[in-house]
């Protein structure tokens, strides 16, 4: 059993770039989709740990705006996986008092995926446990672009002047304005890049990289990432 992290200085919000599902599967002679399925199972485990340990927000990068460029078969498989996951996990999520939120260009999702997502969000909306935030069809640049469009609309309507525009105006027009910025940002599977994740929100996140592919990223890995975070001194430029 992995001991829980020390209660002091816990990250309130952990964001994870769940990478390496494909490599995990290929290394075992399995189709890439098998890796995505294992990754989804692993997410259940991570979410349980976050709930037990008092983490308030867990944002997971599940599908990027760039991932639409993958083979049709993989994209369709991922959309089906997401829809099935929400349908089969609902009981578990409810039991663990998980709240669900989503960010990204959700209008691009297939109709049934979008309907399942919004029905699941509604059903879990009064829960008070960890909030699971799915970044789906998500790109940091796309999110900022959509915020800029909303702000331009306000300016055009005479509700705002360019001179009154502040950083807070931008934050307020992002997909989830009430969610605090991530404290700890984890990327699995060895790459050291942002890949268009949370460009605005991650400006002062602490980074943690691990070689483990996401399907192998266990509770013990998560505890190690949190312990590493807890040993750091955040300075915010001061
Ligand atoms: C991450 O795993 C999951 C998604 C991007 C949907 P990948 O599919 O990127 O796996 P690798 O990086 O090819 O191993
Ligand atoms: C980032 O991983 C997106 C998700 C984990 C959903 P990618 O595998 O798509 O990123 P790159 O291509 O390595 O930058
Ligand atoms: Mg990848």
């Amino acid at each position: 059993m992995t001991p829980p992290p020390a209660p002091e200085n816990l990250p309130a919000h952990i964001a994870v770039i769940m990478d390496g599902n494909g490599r995990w599967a290929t290394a075992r002679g399995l189709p890439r989709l098998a890796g995505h399925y294992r990754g989804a199972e692993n997410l259940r485990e991570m979410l349980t740990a976050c709930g037990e340990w008092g983490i308030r927000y867990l944002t997971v990068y599940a599908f990027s705006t760039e991932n639409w460029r993958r083979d049709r078969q993989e994209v369709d498989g991922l959309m089906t996986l997401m829809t099935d996951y929400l349908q089969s996990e609902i009981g578990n999520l409810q039991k663990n008092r998980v709240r669900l939120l989503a960010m990204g260009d959700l209008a691009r999702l297939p109709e049934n995926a979008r309907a399942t997502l919004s029905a699941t969000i509604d059903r879990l909306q009064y829960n008070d446990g960890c909030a699971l935030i799915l970044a789906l069809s998500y790109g940091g640049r796309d999110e900022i672009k959509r915020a800029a469009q909303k702000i331009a609309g306000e300016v055009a309507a005479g509700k705002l002047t360019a001179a009154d525009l502040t950083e807070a105006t931008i934050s307020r027009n992002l997909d989830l304005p009430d969610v605090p910025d991530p404290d700890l940002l984890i990327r699995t599977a060895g790459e050291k890049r942002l890949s268009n994740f949370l460009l605005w929100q991650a400006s002062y996140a602490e980074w943690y990289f691990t070689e483990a592919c996401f399907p192998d990223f266990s509770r013990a890995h998560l505890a190690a990432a949190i312990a590493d975070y807890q040993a750091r001194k955040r300075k915010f430029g001061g």
Side-chain angles (χ1 to χ4, degrees):
M1 254 317 257
T2 307
E8 300 82 32
N9 191 27
L10 267 183
H13 183 173
I14 299 178
V16 185
I17 301 177
M18 308 186 289
D19 199 18
N21 293 347
R23 275 164 280 172
W24 182 91
T26 304
R28 286 161 182 76
L30 299 168
R32 291 177 59 84
L33 208 54
H36 295 313
Y37 272 81
R38 274 301 280 265
E41 279 174 34
N42 201 41
L43 177 59
R44 177 196 298 138
E45 179 62 19
M46 272 193 74
L47 194 54
T48 309
C50 284
E52 286 171 17
W53 297 345
I55 306 298
R56 301 304 304 156
Y57 299 90
L58 176 67
T59 298
V60 294
Y61 205 4
F63 193 88
S64 74
T65 45
E66 288 71 29
N67 291 151
W68 287 113
R69 294 196 214 118
R70 294 191 181 189
D71 285 355
R72 175 77 194 271
Q73 201 190 355
E74 186 173 353
V75 170
D76 289 352
L78 281 164
M79 293 299 144
T80 304
L81 164 60
M82 197 272 288
T83 312
D84 290 353
Y85 181 82
L86 292 176
Q87 283 168 350
S88 64
E89 278 302 297
I90 181 86
N92 220 2
L93 295 169
Q94 199 67 278
K95 193 179 89 211
N96 291 317
R97 307 199 317 272
V98 172
R99 195 154 62 96
L100 182 68
L101 299 167
M103 65 196 309
D105 184 6
L106 306 177
R108 282 184 81 179
L109 298 178
E111 179 57 41
N112 66 329
R114 208 167 54 229
T116 302
L117 182 64
S118 95
T120 313
I121 289 172
D122 286 352
R123 281 184 64 186
L124 301 176
Q125 65 180 319
Y126 299 114
N127 284 343
D128 60 358
C130 181
L132 171 65
I133 302 170
L134 295 178
L136 272 174
S137 185
Y138 177 84
R141 288 187 171 186
D142 178 70
E143 184 189 26
I144 294 168
K145 178 205 78 179
R146 288 184 287 102
Q149 285 171 330
K150 290 183 233 168
I151 295 166
E154 285 184 37
V155 173
K159 291 182 192 149
L160 182 76
T161 66
D164 291 333
L165 199 159
T166 62
E167 288 188 10
T169 317
I170 296 173
S171 294
R172 207 173 346 104
N173 283 283
L174 296 176
D175 289 346
L176 298 173
D178 299 327
V179 172
D181 288 344
D183 301 296
L184 170 62
L185 216 159
I186 299 170
R187 183 167 187 147
T188 61
E191 311 300 350
K192 294 179 181 64
R193 54 178 171 254
L194 199 48
S195 299
N196 205 11
F197 193 38
L198 305 180
L199 294 183
W200 180 270
Q201 300 89 333
S203 63
Y204 263 102
E206 295 290 329
W207 277 92
Y208 184 86
F209 298 106
T210 170
E211 293 298 319
C213 286
F214 188 68
D216 290 327
F217 186 79
S218 63
R219 203 176 246 262
H221 286 101
L222 181 61
I226 294 173
D228 196 273
Y229 168 88
Q230 288 174 312
R232 298 185 197 180
K233 183 172 166 47
R234 298 180 80 182
K235 294 170 67 182
F236 298 100

